[in-house]
Amino acid sequence: MLIRNIAIIAHVDHGKTTLVDQMLRQAGVFRAGQQVMERVMDSNPLERERGITILAKNTAVFWGDVKINIVDTPGHADFGGEVERILRMVEGVLILVDAAEGPMPQTRFVTRKALELGLQPIVVINKIDRSDAEPLRVHDEVLELFMDLEAAPFQLDAPFLYATSRFGMAWTELPKVPPAEVAKETADLVPLFEAIVAHVPPPLALEGPFQMLVSTIDHSPYVGRIAIGRVERGTVRVGQTVALLPLGEPELLPEGTFHLKKVTKLHGFHGIERVDLEEASAGEIVALSGIEGVEIGQTLTDPETPERMRGIAVEEPTISVDFSVNNGPFAGRDGRFVTSRQIRERLFREVERNVALRVEETDAPDTFKVSGRGELHLGILMETMRREGYEFLVSRPRVITREDAEGERLEPYEELMIDVPEEYVGTVMEKLGPRRAEMLDMRNPGHHIVRMGFRIPSRGLFGYRSEFLTDTRGTGLIHHRFLEYGPWAGPLAGRSRGVMVSMIEGVAVGFALFNLQERGTLFIGPQESVFEGMVIGEHCRTGDLDVNPAKGKRLTNMRQSGTDDAVLLEPPRTITLELALEYIEDDELIEVTPHAVRLRKRALGMTERKKLARASRAMVD
């Protein structure tokens, strides 16, 4: 069988999953008249809600007599662990770039990984039907990116195609008429399929005993763990006994240092489904059942020649948070899993399939240090656990520092890319100055939008996204990715405003909130339960303000409590997990439950907080 293995990589919202949809349709995966939802590859509910790809997924189509294995990869740098292990399974990459935005930080991140592995790129400039599309400019920017990343000569000669994925059209040259005017019956993705078959090399079909690197893990309640990867050498069959080698350097292992497992089921991929196979040869991407205890990066081999392969190198996490048991007044009201044992088991279970995540136990028995690639990476884990019925507390994110050879303290830096209307450039630069941002690039590609590139400490981005959206009236775009470790930047300005903290436990009433909304921005509405120490809003000044959101209007003998003017409340600011992670300070926590995300102080009592504040001032003095 002729095989091509290819991964599709792109920045968030550049049309990658939509293109995979069209490839599946035009390759005849779906029968005529079959009802198929959009973005069929985004099977996770979180992916469909957010419109981003979080987990890498496999599919396959037949084009003529060639089987094309396609891997849909995440476009966000926070999920780079998914990308790094997937690229080991393929020989080519489809780099999708927006015809207006051009290469973005995440495009650079994933492309660098692909070029370092020596993969064959095919560039697709997508969305050429946009009104602000400039495909020729983007073509040059992609070539500049390849040269910056020191691409090999064969990678610089990569074919370029032009496409509009929502209509399922692709061309080898720019069409002379607007894509919207091209009849859909006469345009298709044939040029793309032909480019994949012509330019992506077939996998090396090495002869010899079976060998496979486990690139990803799935789980089934019926058969347990499922190991997914590309067969590097030889053949594997159902019922075959294989050796599961421990992680380590590439070498031939002596007998007794590995475990023997039996392949109970063997699956290949066709469309969005798995199909049963009796055997698979080198080059095929397959899923093996019956390999209990398998981990990502391990090698499966023939027991007679237990030769270990080079493992999957994943960049280390850059930020960490503390997960702990909810000890607030509302603990246990919503969640089904609330104990430290249950939270611990869930976190360590996540590490088994999320290779970029780290979980460590701390001195406190009910607290666990969780490290990841970024706030979105950790936020997705929290959201997933919340929907599963877990209840827990989360601390403010903190960066993971290192020391160089001379003992100098280093911290992670991010590459920050900002697109804003021209009138907000000054405001953005004014806010980024105290956060120690260093401008790398500034250009005005037209349409009154300015693109700025910065190098900024990861700490400097904490809490900035919400400020940025406010400053630009929601019209700006912000993207960032991990760049490098650099010298410690010193103290940074924190949150400029304080918070309003409830001083009692009860139910918020409209009368009290109406008076409080003049003091700042509220996070809650009427009839919401509150407790002492809960953060209910943002104060308009520096310093925290203790308030009573449950204070009702007094009933007197002169008037009734409901005969006054109507209370008009502004809509409260919705607190999401990502916003909460960016917003809180060191003395605050996020209370995450299946039905709510609340902000609270570490010390709930007002008297206790005042004592701690006096003690901290005394230490400074």
Side-chain angles (χ1 to χ4, degrees):
M1 183 192 299
L2 298 175
I3 298 174
R4 299 292 187 272
N5 298 321
I6 190 163
I8 300 185
I9 59 179
H11 181 78
V12 176
D13 200 32
H14 278 197
K16 169 171 46 65
T17 307
T18 304
L19 181 65
V20 176
D21 272 7
Q22 293 290 349
M23 293 176 73
L24 291 170
R25 292 175 189 275
Q26 297 191 23
V29 169
F30 307 124
R31 67 179 184 274
Q34 182 177 351
Q35 293 294 318
V36 183
M37 61 183 178
E38 291 185 2
R39 294 185 290 117
V40 67
M41 293 295 288
D42 283 347
S43 53
N44 187 306
L46 273 176
E47 294 177 321
R48 302 200 63 79
E49 288 175 19
R50 295 167 182 256
I52 61 174
T53 302
I54 297 171
L55 303 172
K57 289 174 280 298
N58 298 71
T59 185
V61 299
F62 282 90
W63 187 254
D65 57 352
V66 180
K67 182 180 183 182
I68 302 176
N69 288 308
I70 303 170
V71 185
D72 186 17
T73 61
H76 201 287
D78 280 18
F79 309 110
E82 294 281 319
V83 176
E84 289 162 7
R85 55 192 173 90
I86 285 301
L87 292 181
R88 289 284 296 276
M89 293 199 296
V90 299
E91 286 77 34
V93 287
L94 208 61
I95 301 173
L96 208 65
V97 185
D98 190 289
E101 297 181 0
M104 299 294 279
Q106 276 80 1
T107 313
R108 171 182 289 269
F109 168 80
V110 185
T111 303
R112 175 168 60 87
K113 298 291 181 187
L115 297 181
E116 287 173 355
L117 289 170
L119 304 180
Q120 170 66 53
I122 296 175
V123 181
V124 178
I125 299 177
N126 193 30
K127 299 187 181 181
I128 62 171
D129 55 326
R130 284 183 57 161
S131 59
D132 56 348
E134 296 182 68
L136 296 179
R137 171 183 62 82
V138 172
H139 181 284
D140 294 340
E141 289 179 356
V142 173
L143 286 177
E144 289 176 12
L145 172 63
F146 280 12
M147 288 186 282
D148 288 346
L149 298 177
E150 300 179 354
F154 77 92
Q155 293 168 330
L156 287 171
D157 291 334
F160 277 73
L161 288 91
Y162 304 90
T164 169
S165 58
R166 63 175 177 153
F167 295 136
M169 303 178 186
W171 299 267
T172 54
E173 295 182 358
L174 271 176
K176 293 182 172 54
V177 297
E181 298 178 12
V182 179
K184 293 183 181 180
E185 296 80 11
T186 62
D188 48 36
L189 293 176
V190 170
L192 176 60
F193 285 114
E194 291 178 345
I196 293 173
V197 174
H199 294 278
V200 176
L204 290 174
L206 299 176
E207 296 295 331
F210 167 67
Q211 187 183 49
M212 174 181 135
L213 181 71
V214 180
S215 297
T216 185
I217 296 278
D218 201 355
H219 185 272
S220 165
Y222 306 106
V223 297
R225 287 198 174 189
I226 301 172
I228 302 174
R230 182 181 66 184
V231 180
E232 300 287 342
R233 187 179 66 195
T235 303
V236 61
R237 297 177 180 84
V238 175
Q240 179 176 338
T241 300
V242 297
L244 176 61
L245 310 186
L247 296 169
E249 294 299 317
E251 59 178 325
L252 190 66
L253 298 184
E255 192 172 348
T257 58
F258 51 84
H259 299 284
L260 297 179
K261 304 289 182 180
K262 185 177 180 180
V263 179
T264 57
K265 283 195 174 183
L266 180 62
H267 298 283
F269 295 91
H270 180 55
I272 58 175
E273 298 177 352
R274 291 180 185 164
V275 293
D276 291 334
L277 301 175
E278 287 301 317
E279 68 173 39
S281 303
E284 269 278 28
I285 295 177
V286 295
L288 277 63
S289 304
I291 319 294
E292 199 57 42
V294 65
E295 294 182 11
I296 290 171
Q298 287 188 298
T299 305
L300 295 172
T301 70
D302 186 275
E304 299 296 324
T305 54
E307 185 179 348
R308 186 162 53 194
M309 299 178 63
R310 178 172 61 87
I312 296 171
V314 177
E315 291 182 358
E316 293 297 311
T318 56
I319 71 168
S320 63
V321 297
D322 290 334
F323 278 58
S324 56
V325 173
N326 185 9
N327 57 7
F330 294 172
R333 286 192 182 184
D334 294 345
R336 291 187 296 128
F337 309 110
V338 298
T339 66
S340 60
R341 177 185 62 81
Q342 291 167 328
I343 295 172
R344 179 187 184 279
E345 287 177 355
R346 177 63 180 84
L347 290 174
F348 278 98
R349 194 163 69 246
E350 182 70 21
V351 174
E352 295 175 354
R353 64 170 65 186
N354 195 336
V355 294
L357 199 73
R358 302 284 184 275
V359 177
E360 305 168 42
E361 301 197 44
T362 64
D363 295 337
D366 61 348
T367 303
F368 308 94
K369 178 183 175 184
V370 182
S371 306
R373 284 285 187 84
E375 293 172 1
L376 182 60
H377 186 204
L378 296 173
I380 291 294
L381 169 63
M382 297 171 201
E383 181 67 26
T384 304
M385 291 178 60
R386 182 174 81 87
R387 295 185 182 203
E388 292 173 359
Y390 287 84
E391 187 174 309
F392 49 90
L393 297 176
V394 179
S395 71
R396 186 192 188 196
R398 53 190 180 273
V399 297
I400 299 173
T401 59
R402 295 180 181 175
E403 287 190 359
D404 61 9
E406 288 97 31
E408 184 181 359
R409 190 182 185 188
L410 304 178
E411 67 172 323
Y413 280 74
E414 306 265 338
E415 178 189 7
L416 176 66
M417 190 76 73
I418 289 178
D419 289 350
V420 290
E422 294 171 346
E423 59 265 30
Y424 300 124
V425 170
T427 305
V428 169
M429 296 181 69
E430 181 183 351
K431 288 291 180 70
L432 288 176
R435 295 173 178 270
R436 308 294 175 93
E438 172 189 347
M439 179 172 281
L440 302 176
D441 183 35
M442 182 175 179
R443 62 180 71 178
N444 189 339
H447 305 283
H448 306 289
I449 298 293
V450 178
R451 173 169 294 180
M452 296 179 286
F454 297 89
R455 177 178 179 268
I456 184 172
S458 297
R459 291 181 297 136
L461 286 173
F462 292 165
Y464 178 63
R465 186 180 294 271
S466 56
E467 276 189 38
F468 172 78
L469 292 174
T470 303
D471 293 340
T472 62
R473 307 297 187 270
T475 59
L477 295 174
I478 180 170
H479 302 286
H480 58 90
R481 70 171 184 93
F482 171 72
L483 183 63
E484 61 187 355
Y485 269 83
W488 181 259
L492 299 181
R495 194 172 65 203
S496 58
R497 297 178 180 179
V499 292
M500 291 188 279
V501 186
S502 173
M503 60 172 59
I504 65 164
E505 182 175 339
V507 178
V509 296
F511 175 76
L513 297 181
F514 178 72
N515 294 320
L516 291 178
Q517 69 183 4
E518 298 177 0
R519 303 288 189 94
T521 304
L522 294 174
F523 298 159
I524 64 169
Q527 301 306 308
E528 289 191 35
S529 298
V530 297
F531 55 82
E532 184 181 8
M534 178 176 165
V535 175
I536 66 162
E538 181 180 73
H539 192 200
C540 59
R541 299 182 181 180
T542 57
D544 295 342
L545 180 68
D546 290 298
V547 297
N548 182 357
K551 181 179 180 182
K553 187 164 59 173
R554 294 279 183 164
L555 175 64
T556 69
N557 60 350
M558 299 296 294
R559 66 183 183 192
Q560 295 179 351
S561 61
T563 58
D564 221 340
D565 295 334
V567 172
L568 298 177
L569 294 176
E570 297 176 3
R573 182 190 297 179
T574 303
I575 297 297
T576 62
L577 271 171
E578 281 79 20
L579 175 62
L581 282 169
E582 291 180 348
Y583 187 80
I584 62 173
E585 291 289 343
D586 291 331
D587 66 333
E588 295 163 356
L589 295 169
I590 309 169
E591 184 176 301
V592 184
T593 76
H595 300 122
V597 176
R598 306 184 185 95
L599 305 184
R600 51 160 279 188
K601 291 291 184 179
R602 283 184 182 269
L604 296 177
M606 184 168 60
T607 305
E608 186 181 356
R609 290 198 304 276
K610 289 181 178 179
K611 287 181 181 178
L612 291 173
R614 283 196 296 269
S616 63
R617 283 197 297 269
M619 290 180 63
V620 172
D621 297 338

